[in-house]
Amino acid sequence: MVEEVTTFTYWDWAGCKATRKSSIAGVILLGDHALKAYTRKQHIIARNSAESELYAAALGASESKGIVSLLKDLGYKMKPVLAIDAKSAEHIFHRQGSGRLNHIDVAYLWMQDEVRSKRLRMRRVARATA
């Protein structure tokens, strides 16, 4: 039996030429089955790629935890796993506080506690090259 809900995230920093907003995409899997796929334009203009990575990872984690919560209500015990190719976001989530990243909204730092308490596992994936 599958025990993990895995969310893969992707980000495209400043991909919109008109607004310079970044795009986010993700897919949530239960084993080999896709439960949800999403794409969104970020609400703010990310100042750098690390910030864009952070927002994409936070959305992916939030979506994943929502699916896990729904499955728990249905009687299934699952663990959320966030699979990202974002090295900067990974480093941010494995430390305490924002450090020198003063422009990042602290509302996105909830994931640090989730990772530290092992309520969310992060997995590194290689970024595909075109």
Side-chain angles (χ1 to χ4, degrees), residues 13 27 42 70:
W13 178 46
V27 63
Q42 290 181 351
L70 173 67

Side-chain angles (χ1 to χ4, degrees), residues 82-128:
L82 183 62
I84 62 174
D85 66 349
K87 188 181 263 186
S88 297
E90 185 178 15
H91 289 298
I92 291 168
F93 296 137
H94 282 98
R95 68 179 184 201
Q96 180 70 33
S98 61
R100 297 185 321 185
L101 302 171
N102 298 331
H103 59 278
I104 291 179
D105 189 343
V106 295
Y108 290 95
L109 298 180
W110 61 271
M111 287 183 53
Q112 290 176 338
D113 188 48
E114 293 293 307
V115 170
R116 194 171 20 266
S117 65
K118 300 189 187 317
R119 290 187 301 260
L120 175 68
R121 188 167 68 86
M122 295 186 77
R123 191 175 97 207
R124 195 93 193 304
V125 295
R127 186 172 184 120

Side-chain angles (χ1 to χ4, degrees), residues 26-73:
V27 63
I28 302 172
L29 301 174
L30 180 61
D32 294 331
H33 305 283
L35 299 178
K36 181 176 183 175
Y38 59 88
T39 60
R40 301 214 175 91
K41 192 177 285 188
Q42 290 181 351
H43 297 289
I44 64 168
I45 299 172
R47 295 181 184 173
N48 52 50
S49 61
E51 191 175 344
S52 184
E53 291 174 19
L54 175 72
Y55 297 145
L59 176 63
S62 180
E63 293 279 349
S64 182
K65 290 193 66 78
I67 296 286
V68 166
S69 179
L70 173 67
L71 290 170
K72 183 179 178 183
D73 290 345

Side-chain angles (χ1 to χ4, degrees), residues 1-8 27-35 67 71 78-79 81 123:
M1 167 112 185
V2 178
E3 296 178 357
E4 296 179 339
V5 172
T6 305
T7 303
F8 291 86
V27 63
I28 302 172
L29 301 174
L30 180 61
D32 294 331
H33 305 283
L35 299 178
I67 296 286
L71 290 170
M78 300 287 166
K79 296 177 183 174
V81 176
R123 191 175 97 207

